[in-house]
Amino acid sequence: MDVQIALMLAQDGLTNGAIYALLALALVLVFAVTRVIFIPQGEFVAYGALTLAMLQGGSMPATAWLLAGMGALVALIDGATALRNGQTQKLAGVLGWNVGYPLGLVALLTLLPVKDLPLVAQVVLALAVVVPMGPLLYRLVFQPIASAPILILLIVSVAVHVAMVGLGLLFFGAEGQRTPAFSDANFEIGPLMVSGQTVWVVMASVVLILALYQFFERTLYGKALRATAINRNGARLMGISPALAGKLTFFVAALIGALSGVLIAPITTIYYDTGFLIGLKGFVAAIIGGLASYPLAAVGAVLVGLLESFSSFWASAFKEVIVFTLIIPVLLWRSLTTRHVEEEE
Amino acid sequence: MKFKHLAVSLLIGALFAGTSHAQVKIGVVSSSTGPIAMVGIPQKNTVPLMPTKAGGQSIRYIPLDDGSDPTASVVAIKKLISEENVDAIIGPSGSPNAMGAIQFIAEAGVPLLAPVGTAAVVLPMNEQKKWVFKTTQNDGLIASALLEHMAKTGVKTVGFIGTADPYGENWGKVFAEGAAKKGIRIVADERFQRQDTSVTAQALKVIAARPDVVLIAAPGSPAVLPQLALVDRGYKGKFYQTHGAALPDFLKLGGKKVEGTILAASLMLVLDQVPDSHPSKKIAKGYMAAYEKTYGVTPATFGGNMFDAGLLLEKAIPLALAKGKPGTPEFRSALRDALEQTRELAATQGVYNMTPADHSGFDDRGRELITVSNGTWTLLK
């Protein structure tokens, strides 16, 4: 192996590591705020990428109907609650957001010549379809069992994952999709040939991470989420609604997932079930961060990406084995260095 | 439990023995969900198009889905045998799934027609595998076509990239054996996963080894990814693909970058260019037209493998009916013998000539050398 190959492998590892880092951050965030180990995180990657591919293919993405269906369910549940409590003034908001928005989006997708729109508009539309599923998912599935033990939340999360993969097969079919690159530019840096899309992925990840940092440090909602993560009951006493915190968290997680999907769709072929493996690698990174530390998780993600890239060079048949075996020494090291605290239930 | 099953099957047997027009029951196990759904969906869709009558008997198909899970395949097959008392089983879709099922169908004495890729289900032939028939070309048959073309064009070194599953592994083995005979050296042997987001590392290693050509062995559209990675990294040599890449999606995903790729596969890809004298042309055309009419898309080759199983049974059932009634062990055993005696049966994939030693039965008419030119499959002359 010479320096050039090492550099190329490093570049490849960093690109994948950037995506894993985004997903790891989302996983840490969701776990910290809601105690859910969010296995379906990867599905949002696939949904985002494949919805964009469907839009570009000129067909109505089936995910839009899923959104409408989930919205209708939430409207039914929340509407009934509002009626029972006599809060009729709330009805308009509930209906508007959960029924009006999806239907408006469907109308927009039907009326607009989506196929011929610029890429940016298509990406925005794809995100508009996929991202609201995050908070709707929280409202439908996790909010009713918000105070359940972690194990139950995990089991439910596995169930959601299985359901979403199945729906993905129904919506997108078994074949993979690829979308055109954001830019065809190529940069030569020394001996390295860097494709424009790679730069996009890394830059977008860095920008998103910085934006998240600003969000948590500077905004009221960000601070509310941080407070909930640190002490759920304390935050509640301060007037932070746990339901709102949950929905907001899932919104951010879905946004990160779908955006990651849109970013990597031009680099690789995305299948309806690709997301799981990507999400799992993000999870390994999140574990390195102890499901608590954002910087450690990001470092772990880059580590996973590099390890993956170099191990597929030396022993491609054992790549996954090597990547996932990494979790054992990490867990050992974590359990030896940190004091064990019983989970309070 | 055993007794109950026995009672149920006796009861069903009695019911059918009593009716005048006994029915032949064929179980179908396919993977229409899960990781290999791209193989299983066209197979499941093909079931309604298959022959419904043979030798004056009606054929009833009982389709089950195994979710691509080998354990579920075995459960489905056991269920078909013990509860439905089927006369033969078509499926499952995946190679590991079929490998796991062999022992059970041999025990029960039910012929299995497997539309799977790996030759391991029928080779080496033994007491258990004699119940299995395979409706796909053996990897060796396709590999020899590719190797002949390589030898003819003066290729000396090959880089191999395969999937880390039974398909890629078996291809690696079969191809290495054939290459050694032709004096072609394999200078790089790499593996990747279907869901990998990047195969850059493998591509780099192959490029560093400087092979004359590269062979990629992967089932379905994952075959595109390594080729694109190599082209993007500036590899200029020729590409060979296996029959696993013989899908419309290969062209769609690959675009201009797969131009000039050479592969060997059944004639279904280049049907219009095959001379009318080819015995399979008419049958394949009829099948594809029927499939398109029902589903609005052209079927992948995997569906043709399923259809051929139906044709094999259609031919074998009348012979077996002479020896026993459907639903009896005698009938199933006679059906197996009849399948083994299939001669010159033209089907969608080629022409079948089964022998006790060869339960796949293809010859040169089961493969065509195909290249990608101007974005379409073209017969290589």
Side-chain angles (χ1 to χ4, degrees), chain B residues 80-289:
Chain B
L80 286 169
I81 293 173
S82 61
E83 288 177 20
E84 302 283 355
N85 192 33
V86 292
D87 298 303
I89 295 171
I90 306 176
S93 304
S95 298
N97 309 51
M99 291 303 287
I102 295 175
Q103 140 188 31
F104 300 100
I105 56 110
E107 231 167 68
V110 178
L112 179 78
L113 292 102
V116 300
T118 180
V121 291
V122 289
L123 290 172
M125 186 51 67
N126 61 24
E127 251 329 279
Q128 289 188 336
K129 290 178 186 170
K130 74 171 195 184
W131 289 95
V132 185
F133 296 86
K134 179 160 129 3
T135 57
T136 61
Q137 296 83 349
N138 280 348
D139 299 339
L141 185 78
I142 303 287
S144 70
L146 295 180
L147 279 162
E148 271 162 31
H149 187 265
M150 286 178 193
K152 212 169 69 191
T153 48
V155 171
K156 292 271 175 288
T157 51
V158 180
F160 179 83
I161 303 183
T163 40
D165 63 10
Y167 185 86
E169 293 295 336
N170 194 53
W171 255 95
K173 214 178 83 202
V174 169
F175 187 75
E177 281 166 14
K181 280 185 207 144
K182 294 261 181 214
I184 294 171
R185 238 161 21 94
I186 296 173
V187 288
D189 186 5
E190 295 300 312
R191 295 285 178 275
F192 75 106
Q193 308 275 342
R194 186 176 72 95
Q195 293 148 320
D196 274 357
T197 45
S198 158
V199 288
T200 306
Q202 290 93 324
L204 287 172
K205 198 157 181 194
V206 168
I207 290 174
R210 300 183 184 285
D212 292 343
V213 296
V214 171
L215 169 67
I216 295 160
S221 38
V224 183
L225 189 59
Q227 186 162 351
L228 295 193
L230 278 163
V231 172
D232 286 344
R233 301 285 150 192
Y235 181 74
K236 295 276 184 278
K238 226 174 186 39
F239 285 97
Y240 285 83
Q241 289 274 3
T242 67
H243 52 321
L247 295 168
D249 282 75
F250 179 77
L251 298 178
K252 201 180 98 198
L253 292 169
K256 278 203 177 63
K257 290 174 182 169
V258 297
E259 193 77 13
T261 307
I262 292 170
L263 58 90
S266 82
L267 68 162
M268 261 171 70
L269 282 189
V270 285
L271 206 52
D272 293 330
Q273 300 156 43
V274 174
D276 286 336
S277 57
H278 196 296
S280 291
K281 183 167 180 177
K282 213 176 97 207
I283 293 151
K285 221 169 183 159
Y287 162 66
M288 288 174 82

Side-chain angles (χ1 to χ4, degrees), chain A residues 12 175 272-273 313 316 319, chain B residues 34 191 194 196 198 205 221:
Chain A
D12 187 47
E175 288 301 337
Y272 71 97
D273 60 349
F313 185 80
S316 56
K319 187 194 80 180
Chain B
R191 295 285 178 275
R194 186 176 72 95
D196 274 357
S198 158
K205 198 157 181 194
S221 38

Side-chain angles (χ1 to χ4, degrees), chain A:
Chain A
M1 184 203 279
D2 54 23
V3 180
Q4 189 182 353
I5 289 183
L7 279 174
M8 280 167 124
L9 287 176
Q11 181 215 330
D12 187 47
L14 279 177
T15 316
N16 282 330
I19 295 292
Y20 299 153
L22 284 178
L23 295 181
L25 294 186
L27 284 166
V28 171
L29 172 68
V30 170
F31 183 74
V33 176
T34 64
R35 296 174 309 134
V36 175
I37 293 175
F38 196 43
I39 307 210
Q41 179 68 51
E43 267 61 71
F44 282 99
V45 177
Y47 275 38
L50 293 172
T51 302
L52 178 63
M54 273 186 111
L55 285 175
Q56 288 174 343
S59 51
M60 166 71 74
T63 31
W65 299 115
L66 176 67
L67 182 72
M70 288 170 86
L73 266 180
V74 170
L76 215 63
I77 298 170
D78 281 356
T81 317
L83 274 184
R84 207 173 319 123
N85 298 342
Q87 298 165 307
T88 34
Q89 74 280 9
K90 259 191 172 179
L91 264 180
V94 166
L95 287 177
W97 277 111
N98 297 310
V99 181
Y101 173 75
L103 290 183
L105 199 60
V106 168
L108 200 64
L109 289 176
T110 330
L111 293 177
L112 282 178
V114 179
K115 204 176 169 183
D116 308 317
L117 286 180
L119 186 64
V120 185
Q122 290 173 335
V123 169
V124 169
L125 281 174
L127 292 181
V129 171
V130 177
V131 175
M133 282 184 204
L136 287 176
L137 189 70
Y138 181 78
R139 174 64 194 91
L140 282 175
V141 179
F142 292 105
Q143 193 177 321
I145 53 164
S147 54
I150 289 183
L151 185 62
I152 292 185
L153 291 173
L154 172 65
I155 294 169
V156 170
S157 153
V158 171
V160 171
H161 155 69
V162 173
M164 281 184 77
V165 171
L167 285 173
L169 176 61
L170 185 70
F171 293 160
F172 308 113
E175 288 301 337
Q177 300 281 353
R178 242 178 140 109
T179 58
F182 290 5
S183 84
D184 290 323
N186 277 311
F187 307 97
E188 264 181 74
I189 307 174
L192 263 188
M193 190 74 155
V194 181
S195 77
Q197 189 63 28
T198 312
V199 178
W200 261 100
V201 170
V202 176
M203 292 306 288
S205 301
V206 171
V207 167
L208 210 60
I209 288 170
L210 287 178
L212 279 177
Y213 179 76
Q214 291 295 320
F215 172 70
F216 287 123
E217 289 295 318
R218 301 283 162 94
T219 66
L220 195 60
Y221 282 113
K223 285 178 180 164
L225 283 190
R226 270 172 64 213
T228 318
I230 293 165
N231 189 330
R232 227 174 324 271
N233 288 331
R236 203 169 173 180
L237 288 174
M238 294 297 119
I240 298 168
S241 149
L244 177 71
K247 280 182 199 161
L248 197 57
T249 310
F250 272 63
F251 178 83
V252 174
L255 177 68
I256 291 177
L259 205 59
S260 309
V262 168
L263 282 172
I264 56 164
I267 307 181
T268 183
T269 320
I270 302 277
Y271 300 87
Y272 71 97
D273 60 349
T274 303
F276 180 57
L277 214 57
I278 302 177
L280 217 51
K281 283 174 190 151
F283 185 66
V284 172
I287 291 282
I288 293 175
L291 274 178
S293 159
Y294 295 98
L296 264 184
V299 171
V302 174
L303 188 70
V304 169
L306 288 174
L307 184 71
E308 187 183 35
S309 165
F310 280 87
S311 61
S312 29
F313 185 80
W314 278 310
S316 56
F318 299 103
K319 187 194 80 180
E320 308 292 28
V321 178
I322 294 169
V323 170
F324 289 115
T325 309
L326 175 70
I327 216 168
I328 297 174
V330 167
L331 284 176
L332 260 179
W333 161 67
R334 288 212 74 93
S335 64
L336 289 178
T337 52
T338 50
R339 204 168 48 85
H340 185 63
V341 188
E342 279 297 329
E343 170 71 27
E344 90 285 14
E345 296 296 0

